[in-house]
Amino acid sequence: INQAFNFKEVFRKAFNGEYFLALLVGGLYSIGLSLILLPLLLAFLFTSSIIPFIAYLILSVPLSWLTSITSYTLMAMAFKEKR
């Protein structure tokens, strides 16, 4: 049980340059995918049509899933390299 609370080891693995790079790339990737949806949201706001909003809702779910899978993969790769 002592190893579970070995904060020095946890912080050494968690706070390294590879993790921060993975977080940065994942964040930029998420912003980039969000910018793809921005025109649909703006079209909904500036028109009276509900179709762009429905398209936004339909596309936001798979793009959110793709972003989270990619971010977790990048962080797992950073952890694997540090082991």
Side-chain angles (χ1 to χ4, degrees), residues 4-5 7 9 19 31 38 41 45 49 51 56 60-62 65:
F5 296 103
F7 291 114
E9 181 73 18
Y19 262 138
I31 290 170
L38 187 62
L41 192 59
L45 292 175
S49 176
I51 294 172
Y56 175 80
S60 66
V61 172
W65 178 79

Side-chain angles (χ1 to χ4, degrees), residues 29-30 33 37 58-73:
Y29 184 70
S30 175
L33 287 181
L37 294 177
I58 291 171
L59 290 176
S60 66
V61 172
L63 287 179
S64 174
W65 178 79
L66 184 65
T67 300
S68 62
I69 292 297
T70 304
S71 297
Y72 290 138
T73 301

Side-chain angles (χ1 to χ4, degrees), residues 17-62:
E18 293 162 357
Y19 262 138
F20 287 118
L21 182 63
L23 288 173
L24 179 68
V25 170
L28 292 174
Y29 184 70
S30 175
I31 290 170
L33 287 181
S34 297
L35 290 176
I36 292 172
L37 294 177
L38 187 62
L40 289 174
L41 192 59
L42 291 175
F44 169 69
L45 292 175
F46 294 115
T47 63
S48 59
S49 176
I50 193 76
I51 294 172
F53 183 68
I54 293 171
Y56 175 80
L57 289 178
I58 291 171
L59 290 176
S60 66
V61 172

